[in-house]
Amino acid sequence: MSEQEYAANLRRATLSSSVGSALEYFDFAMYGLMTAMVFDRLFFSTSNPAMATVAAFGVYGVGFLARPFGGLFFGTIGDRIGRRWVLVTTIILMGGASTLIGALPTYEQVGMLAPILLVVMRLLQGFGAGAEQAGATVLMAEYSPVKKRGFFSALPFVGIQAGTLLASVVFFLLTLMPEEAFLSWGWRLPFLGSFVLILVALFIRAKLQETPSFVQLEKSEQVAERPVREIFTRGRAGVVIGVGLRMAENGGSYMFQSIALAFVTSAAIGMDRGAVTWGVTFGSLIGIFSVPLTGKISDRVGRVPVYRFGAVFMLLFAFPAWYLLSLGNELIAVGVIAIGLGIAVNTMLGPQCAMLPEMFGNRHRYLGVAMAREISAVLAGGLAGVLGAALLAWTDGNWIVLAIYMATLAAITTASTFLVPETRGRDLMRIEDAVRISTTEQDTATSALPEPAADIVQDAAQAPTEQVAR
């Protein structure tokens, strides 16, 4: 690949990953907003409002349960046949299910069939999303210039902020509608409209070439025949630590986006739902700048220090944040949610974009990133909704239990940052995982393209035994 071709594909990879991220997080943010405000009233019996909210968040969590299976299935394919076509398939599956949510009948129309159909759509949506973000992460890390990998890998994740921002703005505009019209047909519009993003993403991804790292792996005949076996033997340590790293980032994100909104608009607090969504909007605006900025900083000072700062910030912020949310002041609530998303969550997301792919060897990188991301999505993101809604119902809106839950997630992530070696500048053609080697290893790379796989395999074979991970 010439330098001109490489530059063109880098731009195309950035754009395609950004559009996919925007679609995924538009749908998930919108679903979270609708769960807290709409779905409990439209898809479940309203005889017990508190339990209807718990049930709605239960369906929200079902999407997370499907994600590890999607990550396992598509991650295996991505490590065997390449990244490109997996990303085409996942955008169709994920976006198609999201579009169909906008056409579902309600509980009043078809009874129990309504929540059943909603569960099916969430399963399909989660199955596709289980590999979409992992694929975008791996794609950008393998295309990015090595010395600027943190910055370039973070750029598509601006799509996350754009998708979340778009969802919050659209939702706010929808709340300006008369409530009867909003609950009748207005809520359907954003889901049906996501079909446009699917077409844009497909158009871009159809022209994308395979990543240089995977091409070199194919040329050297080092493609893994059984990536699942490898990831659960050689890559197991990386997956476990990757899950720990994402507990605060993923769980905190969904707590601020959905649980916080349900908390402050509950009968105990009584804030206006439309006003408080501005917290998510401003948080996403901050994230558009904080994600690439922290990715760039991680290129200079390392991934681990930046990531640890974000985790510690959330740990210290948890109790003041939920106490301030309990005061019932809309302006304060907007500020708390914006800081929680824009700074606490996104300071971890920025370096994570390059860090997770750097943690895994080339033969099972896609699957490793997918498993780390999606198992944590179940444990942190999915449980955040179900457990948070349950805690709200069981404790009559007690802010302390929610603060304890968030602080626990942050403590797990903080501890995990002490278990992973520094990965900045690591050569992505290496076969071994970073977690399996010494924390003193510092790979150097002077080119955006990796070394031939044969040289990497030889390096691994000749590595001294003291470099093997503890």
Side-chain angles (χ1 to χ4, degrees):
M1 188 185 299
S2 67
E3 290 186 9
Q4 185 176 4
E5 290 175 324
Y6 170 75
N9 271 278
L10 177 60
R11 290 192 297 269
R12 193 173 291 118
T14 303
L15 185 58
S16 68
S17 299
S18 299
V19 173
S21 297
L23 173 61
E24 177 181 351
Y25 277 79
F26 173 81
D27 289 336
F28 271 82
M30 183 59 67
Y31 195 98
L33 292 168
M34 293 294 183
T35 298
M37 312 289 185
V38 178
F39 287 161
D40 56 340
R41 301 166 64 180
L42 294 183
F43 285 88
F44 301 93
S45 172
T46 57
S47 59
N48 188 332
M51 293 311 298
T53 301
V54 173
F57 274 106
V59 177
Y60 180 69
V62 164
F64 290 94
L65 290 176
R67 291 179 68 135
F69 297 99
L72 182 65
F73 178 77
F74 288 114
T76 301
I77 296 175
D79 280 324
R80 294 190 65 180
I81 68 173
R83 328 307 193 194
R84 176 192 173 198
W85 288 110
V86 171
L87 288 173
V88 172
T89 304
T90 56
I91 200 73
I92 294 174
L93 181 60
M94 180 183 66
S98 299
T99 302
L100 289 175
I101 288 177
L104 292 180
T106 63
Y107 185 88
E108 184 179 355
Q109 294 171 325
V110 295
M112 284 301 298
L113 182 61
I116 292 174
L117 292 174
L118 187 62
V119 168
V120 172
M121 292 302 104
R122 281 293 288 170
L123 287 172
L124 292 175
Q125 188 185 54
F127 194 75
E132 167 63 31
Q133 202 60 61
T137 301
V138 171
L139 183 77
M140 280 311 303
E142 292 184 344
Y143 257 118
S144 299
V146 178
K147 294 183 179 180
K148 298 181 180 179
R149 186 183 291 146
F151 173 71
F152 275 92
S153 296
L155 288 180
F157 282 71
V158 173
I160 292 178
Q161 313 309 316
T164 304
L165 174 62
L166 181 61
S168 60
V169 170
V170 169
F171 186 81
F172 173 76
L173 294 176
L174 289 174
T175 60
L176 300 179
M177 298 175 60
E179 185 173 17
E180 183 178 353
F182 174 61
L183 294 176
S184 176
W185 56 268
W187 69 271
R188 300 179 183 274
L189 298 179
F191 293 102
L192 296 173
S194 64
F195 183 71
V196 176
L197 288 176
I198 301 176
L199 297 179
V200 173
L202 285 176
F203 176 76
I204 298 170
R205 291 182 178 183
K207 298 183 178 181
L208 186 66
Q209 295 184 25
E210 191 54 76
T211 68
S213 295
F214 190 80
V215 170
Q216 292 292 339
L217 198 64
E218 285 186 315
K219 287 182 178 179
S220 62
E221 298 182 353
Q222 290 295 321
V223 176
E225 294 184 2
R226 297 182 176 88
V228 175
R229 176 185 294 180
E230 286 194 11
I231 201 62
F232 287 108
T233 53
R234 303 177 186 177
R236 184 171 52 206
V239 171
V240 172
I241 294 176
V243 169
L245 289 171
R246 293 205 70 229
M247 294 299 283
E249 175 266 319
N250 191 253
S253 175
Y254 286 105
M255 287 193 73
F256 280 121
Q257 287 186 56
S258 56
I259 297 301
L261 295 182
F263 174 66
V264 299
T265 58
S266 64
I269 308 297
M271 295 189 199
D272 178 69
R273 66 184 181 184
V276 182
T277 56
W278 280 104
V280 179
T281 302
F282 291 132
S284 300
L285 280 173
I286 296 172
I288 289 175
F289 301 97
S290 62
V291 170
L293 176 62
T294 52
K296 185 173 183 177
I297 294 173
S298 75
D299 282 327
R300 297 187 176 185
V301 304
R303 319 286 187 225
V304 174
V306 180
Y307 209 110
R308 187 176 297 153
F309 173 84
V312 172
F313 183 92
M314 181 175 286
L315 179 62
L316 299 176
F317 186 61
F319 281 90
W322 288 95
Y323 168 72
L324 291 172
L325 289 173
S326 72
L327 297 180
N329 185 297
E330 291 180 355
L331 184 62
I332 292 176
V334 168
V336 167
I337 295 173
I339 293 173
L341 288 172
I343 298 178
V345 170
N346 289 324
T347 299
M348 291 178 278
L349 182 60
Q352 180 194 114
C353 304
M355 189 176 185
L356 284 183
E358 289 171 338
M359 287 172 56
F360 294 97
N362 197 19
R363 285 165 58 90
H364 52 251
R365 178 171 297 121
Y366 198 138
L367 184 57
V369 173
M371 289 293 93
R373 287 188 58 85
E374 304 314 328
I375 293 175
S376 63
V378 174
L379 298 178
L383 285 181
V386 178
L387 183 57
L391 290 173
L392 284 175
W394 296 336
T395 64
D396 196 24
N398 191 321
W399 66 270
I400 296 178
V401 292
L402 296 174
I404 292 174
Y405 182 39
M406 178 171 284
T408 301
L409 296 177
I412 293 172
T413 296
T414 301
S416 298
T417 63
F418 289 94
L419 300 177
V420 61
E422 180 55 60
T423 61
R424 178 185 55 168
R426 192 167 194 265
D427 194 327
L428 294 186
M429 276 306 300
R430 291 191 67 91
I431 302 300
E432 292 296 324
D433 291 352
V435 179
R436 297 174 61 87
I437 55 182
S438 168
T439 56
T440 62
E441 182 203 33
Q442 293 293 328
D443 290 331
T444 59
T446 58
S447 169
L449 299 180
E451 297 177 18
D455 294 341
I456 300 303
V457 174
Q458 184 177 9
D459 280 348
Q462 295 175 351
T465 56
E466 58 267 21
Q467 294 295 312
V468 178
R470 46 192 184 278

PDB file of all heavy atoms in Angstrom, residues 311-329:
ATOM      1  N   ALA A 311     -10.357   7.171  36.468  1.00  0.00           N
ATOM      2  CA  ALA A 311     -10.979   6.258  37.431  1.00  0.00           C
ATOM      3  C   ALA A 311     -10.997   6.859  38.831  1.00  0.00           C
ATOM      4  O   ALA A 311     -11.998   6.777  39.551  1.00  0.00           O
ATOM      5  CB  ALA A 311     -10.241   4.924  37.431  1.00  0.00           C
ATOM      6  N   VAL A 312      -9.889   7.467  39.241  1.00  0.00           N
ATOM      7  CA  VAL A 312      -9.810   8.083  40.571  1.00  0.00           C
ATOM      8  C   VAL A 312     -10.753   9.286  40.654  1.00  0.00           C
ATOM      9  O   VAL A 312     -11.399   9.514  41.682  1.00  0.00           O
ATOM     10  CB  VAL A 312      -8.360   8.494  40.891  1.00  0.00           C
ATOM     11  CG1 VAL A 312      -8.297   9.305  42.179  1.00  0.00           C
ATOM     12  CG2 VAL A 312      -7.475   7.263  41.014  1.00  0.00           C
ATOM     13  N   PHE A 313     -10.835  10.041  39.564  1.00  0.00           N
ATOM     14  CA  PHE A 313     -11.763  11.182  39.539  1.00  0.00           C
ATOM     15  C   PHE A 313     -13.193  10.714  39.779  1.00  0.00           C
ATOM     16  O   PHE A 313     -13.929  11.313  40.576  1.00  0.00           O
ATOM     17  CB  PHE A 313     -11.656  11.904  38.197  1.00  0.00           C
ATOM     18  CG  PHE A 313     -12.523  13.139  38.113  1.00  0.00           C
ATOM     19  CD1 PHE A 313     -12.018  14.375  38.463  1.00  0.00           C
ATOM     20  CD2 PHE A 313     -13.840  13.057  37.673  1.00  0.00           C
ATOM     21  CE1 PHE A 313     -12.813  15.514  38.394  1.00  0.00           C
ATOM     22  CE2 PHE A 313     -14.643  14.183  37.604  1.00  0.00           C
ATOM     23  CZ  PHE A 313     -14.123  15.420  37.963  1.00  0.00           C
ATOM     24  N   MET A 314     -13.614   9.639  39.109  1.00  0.00           N
ATOM     25  CA  MET A 314     -14.969   9.133  39.319  1.00  0.00           C
ATOM     26  C   MET A 314     -15.153   8.615  40.739  1.00  0.00           C
ATOM     27  O   MET A 314     -16.219   8.805  41.352  1.00  0.00           O
ATOM     28  CB  MET A 314     -15.292   8.032  38.306  1.00  0.00           C
ATOM     29  CG  MET A 314     -16.701   7.472  38.465  1.00  0.00           C
ATOM     30  SD  MET A 314     -17.166   6.272  37.193  1.00  0.00           S
ATOM     31  CE  MET A 314     -17.426   7.372  35.804  1.00  0.00           C
ATOM     32  N   LEU A 315     -14.129   7.981  41.282  1.00  0.00           N
ATOM     33  CA  LEU A 315     -14.213   7.469  42.649  1.00  0.00           C
ATOM     34  C   LEU A 315     -14.464   8.602  43.642  1.00  0.00           C
ATOM     35  O   LEU A 315     -15.301   8.486  44.542  1.00  0.00           O
ATOM     36  CB  LEU A 315     -12.914   6.732  42.992  1.00  0.00           C
ATOM     37  CG  LEU A 315     -12.793   6.135  44.393  1.00  0.00           C
ATOM     38  CD1 LEU A 315     -13.862   5.079  44.631  1.00  0.00           C
ATOM     39  CD2 LEU A 315     -11.413   5.532  44.583  1.00  0.00           C
ATOM     40  N   LEU A 316     -13.755   9.705  43.466  1.00  0.00           N
ATOM     41  CA  LEU A 316     -13.904  10.849  44.364  1.00  0.00           C
ATOM     42  C   LEU A 316     -15.181  11.636  44.088  1.00  0.00           C
ATOM     43  O   LEU A 316     -15.708  12.321  44.977  1.00  0.00           O
ATOM     44  CB  LEU A 316     -12.691  11.772  44.225  1.00  0.00           C
ATOM     45  CG  LEU A 316     -11.324  11.168  44.590  1.00  0.00           C
ATOM     46  CD1 LEU A 316     -10.212  12.166  44.323  1.00  0.00           C
ATOM     47  CD2 LEU A 316     -11.313  10.718  46.048  1.00  0.00           C
ATOM     48  N   PHE A 317     -15.683  11.546  42.858  1.00  0.00           N
ATOM     49  CA  PHE A 317     -16.842  12.317  42.431  1.00  0.00           C
ATOM     50  C   PHE A 317     -18.162  11.637  42.784  1.00  0.00           C
ATOM     51  O   PHE A 317     -19.210  12.304  42.847  1.00  0.00           O
ATOM     52  CB  PHE A 317     -16.751  12.534  40.917  1.00  0.00           C
ATOM     53  CG  PHE A 317     -17.800  13.441  40.343  1.00  0.00           C
ATOM     54  CD1 PHE A 317     -17.905  14.765  40.755  1.00  0.00           C
ATOM     55  CD2 PHE A 317     -18.675  12.989  39.359  1.00  0.00           C
ATOM     56  CE1 PHE A 317     -18.868  15.615  40.208  1.00  0.00           C
ATOM     57  CE2 PHE A 317     -19.630  13.829  38.808  1.00  0.00           C
ATOM     58  CZ  PHE A 317     -19.725  15.146  39.234  1.00  0.00           C
ATOM     59  N   ALA A 318     -18.157  10.337  43.043  1.00  0.00           N
ATOM     60  CA  ALA A 318     -19.386   9.559  43.175  1.00  0.00           C
ATOM     61  C   ALA A 318     -20.322  10.108  44.261  1.00  0.00           C
ATOM     62  O   ALA A 318     -21.498  10.387  43.992  1.00  0.00           O
ATOM     63  CB  ALA A 318     -19.056   8.093  43.439  1.00  0.00           C
ATOM     64  N   PHE A 319     -19.838  10.250  45.477  1.00  0.00           N
ATOM     65  CA  PHE A 319     -20.713  10.677  46.575  1.00  0.00           C
ATOM     66  C   PHE A 319     -21.164  12.134  46.434  1.00  0.00           C
ATOM     67  O   PHE A 319     -22.361  12.419  46.596  1.00  0.00           O
ATOM     68  CB  PHE A 319     -20.030  10.430  47.918  1.00  0.00           C
ATOM     69  CG  PHE A 319     -20.094   8.997  48.349  1.00  0.00           C
ATOM     70  CD1 PHE A 319     -19.103   8.103  47.983  1.00  0.00           C
ATOM     71  CD2 PHE A 319     -21.164   8.536  49.101  1.00  0.00           C
ATOM     72  CE1 PHE A 319     -19.171   6.769  48.351  1.00  0.00           C
ATOM     73  CE2 PHE A 319     -21.246   7.201  49.494  1.00  0.00           C
ATOM     74  CZ  PHE A 319     -20.248   6.311  49.115  1.00  0.00           C
ATOM     75  N   PRO A 320     -20.265  13.085  46.136  1.00  0.00           N
ATOM     76  CA  PRO A 320     -20.752  14.454  45.904  1.00  0.00           C
ATOM     77  C   PRO A 320     -21.757  14.533  44.758  1.00  0.00           C
ATOM     78  O   PRO A 320     -22.728  15.298  44.843  1.00  0.00           O
ATOM     79  CB  PRO A 320     -19.468  15.228  45.572  1.00  0.00           C
ATOM     80  CG  PRO A 320     -18.370  14.447  46.189  1.00  0.00           C
ATOM     81  CD  PRO A 320     -18.790  13.017  46.083  1.00  0.00           C
ATOM     82  N   ALA A 321     -21.539  13.742  43.707  1.00  0.00           N
ATOM     83  CA  ALA A 321     -22.424  13.809  42.541  1.00  0.00           C
ATOM     84  C   ALA A 321     -23.846  13.398  42.898  1.00  0.00           C
ATOM     85  O   ALA A 321     -24.810  14.123  42.600  1.00  0.00           O
ATOM     86  CB  ALA A 321     -21.878  12.914  41.425  1.00  0.00           C
ATOM     87  N   TRP A 322     -24.002  12.259  43.533  1.00  0.00           N
ATOM     88  CA  TRP A 322     -25.351  11.776  43.819  1.00  0.00           C
ATOM     89  C   TRP A 322     -26.028  12.575  44.931  1.00  0.00           C
ATOM     90  O   TRP A 322     -27.261  12.712  44.935  1.00  0.00           O
ATOM     91  CB  TRP A 322     -25.328  10.284  44.139  1.00  0.00           C
ATOM     92  CG  TRP A 322     -25.071   9.483  42.908  1.00  0.00           C
ATOM     93  CD1 TRP A 322     -23.874   9.008  42.466  1.00  0.00           C
ATOM     94  CD2 TRP A 322     -26.033   9.121  41.911  1.00  0.00           C
ATOM     95  NE1 TRP A 322     -24.024   8.375  41.255  1.00  0.00           N
ATOM     96  CE2 TRP A 322     -25.333   8.413  40.889  1.00  0.00           C
ATOM     97  CE3 TRP A 322     -27.391   9.322  41.768  1.00  0.00           C
ATOM     98  CZ2 TRP A 322     -25.967   7.920  39.756  1.00  0.00           C
ATOM     99  CZ3 TRP A 322     -28.037   8.817  40.638  1.00  0.00           C
ATOM    100  CH2 TRP A 322     -27.321   8.123  39.649  1.00  0.00           C
ATOM    101  N   TYR A 323     -25.234  13.122  45.844  1.00  0.00           N
ATOM    102  CA  TYR A 323     -25.829  14.022  46.848  1.00  0.00           C
ATOM    103  C   TYR A 323     -26.377  15.274  46.167  1.00  0.00           C
ATOM    104  O   TYR A 323     -27.505  15.708  46.446  1.00  0.00           O
ATOM    105  CB  TYR A 323     -24.782  14.416  47.890  1.00  0.00           C
ATOM    106  CG  TYR A 323     -25.233  15.555  48.775  1.00  0.00           C
ATOM    107  CD1 TYR A 323     -26.220  15.361  49.747  1.00  0.00           C
ATOM    108  CD2 TYR A 323     -24.708  16.837  48.605  1.00  0.00           C
ATOM    109  CE1 TYR A 323     -26.661  16.410  50.540  1.00  0.00           C
ATOM    110  CE2 TYR A 323     -25.146  17.898  49.396  1.00  0.00           C
ATOM    111  CZ  TYR A 323     -26.119  17.677  50.357  1.00  0.00           C
ATOM    112  OH  TYR A 323     -26.558  18.722  51.142  1.00  0.00           O
ATOM    113  N   LEU A 324     -25.603  15.859  45.269  1.00  0.00           N
ATOM    114  CA  LEU A 324     -26.053  17.057  44.568  1.00  0.00           C
ATOM    115  C   LEU A 324     -27.283  16.779  43.708  1.00  0.00           C
ATOM    116  O   LEU A 324     -28.172  17.617  43.589  1.00  0.00           O
ATOM    117  CB  LEU A 324     -24.917  17.613  43.708  1.00  0.00           C
ATOM    118  CG  LEU A 324     -23.725  18.211  44.481  1.00  0.00           C
ATOM    119  CD1 LEU A 324     -22.591  18.552  43.524  1.00  0.00           C
ATOM    120  CD2 LEU A 324     -24.160  19.452  45.253  1.00  0.00           C
ATOM    121  N   LEU A 325     -27.335  15.590  43.105  1.00  0.00           N
ATOM    122  CA  LEU A 325     -28.509  15.226  42.316  1.00  0.00           C
ATOM    123  C   LEU A 325     -29.763  15.127  43.178  1.00  0.00           C
ATOM    124  O   LEU A 325     -30.878  15.391  42.720  1.00  0.00           O
ATOM    125  CB  LEU A 325     -28.276  13.899  41.591  1.00  0.00           C
ATOM    126  CG  LEU A 325     -27.282  13.910  40.421  1.00  0.00           C
ATOM    127  CD1 LEU A 325     -27.037  12.491  39.914  1.00  0.00           C
ATOM    128  CD2 LEU A 325     -27.772  14.798  39.282  1.00  0.00           C
ATOM    129  N   SER A 326     -29.585  14.756  44.436  1.00  0.00           N
ATOM    130  CA  SER A 326     -30.733  14.586  45.337  1.00  0.00           C
ATOM    131  C   SER A 326     -31.323  15.909  45.814  1.00  0.00           C
ATOM    132  O   SER A 326     -32.406  15.918  46.415  1.00  0.00           O
ATOM    133  CB  SER A 326     -30.310  13.754  46.555  1.00  0.00           C
ATOM    134  OG  SER A 326     -29.464  14.504  47.426  1.00  0.00           O
ATOM    135  N   LEU A 327     -30.641  17.026  45.572  1.00  0.00           N
ATOM    136  CA  LEU A 327     -31.096  18.325  46.074  1.00  0.00           C
ATOM    137  C   LEU A 327     -32.303  18.864  45.313  1.00  0.00           C
ATOM    138  O   LEU A 327     -32.988  19.769  45.801  1.00  0.00           O
ATOM    139  CB  LEU A 327     -29.949  19.347  46.007  1.00  0.00           C
ATOM    140  CG  LEU A 327     -28.723  19.034  46.870  1.00  0.00           C
ATOM    141  CD1 LEU A 327     -27.673  20.125  46.710  1.00  0.00           C
ATOM    142  CD2 LEU A 327     -29.117  18.882  48.334  1.00  0.00           C
ATOM    143  N   GLY A 328     -32.533  18.379  44.097  1.00  0.00           N
ATOM    144  CA  GLY A 328     -33.696  18.812  43.334  1.00  0.00           C
ATOM    145  C   GLY A 328     -33.504  20.097  42.563  1.00  0.00           C
ATOM    146  O   GLY A 328     -34.484  20.675  42.082  1.00  0.00           O
ATOM    147  N   ASN A 329     -32.260  20.537  42.405  1.00  0.00           N
ATOM    148  CA  ASN A 329     -31.966  21.749  41.647  1.00  0.00           C
ATOM    149  C   ASN A 329     -31.600  21.358  40.219  1.00  0.00           C
ATOM    150  O   ASN A 329     -30.616  20.651  39.998  1.00  0.00           O
ATOM    151  CB  ASN A 329     -30.817  22.520  42.315  1.00  0.00           C
ATOM    152  CG  ASN A 329     -30.539  23.850  41.642  1.00  0.00           C
ATOM    153  OD1 ASN A 329     -30.162  23.906  40.480  1.00  0.00           O
ATOM    154  ND2 ASN A 329     -30.736  24.930  42.388  1.00  0.00           N
TER     155      ASN A 329
END
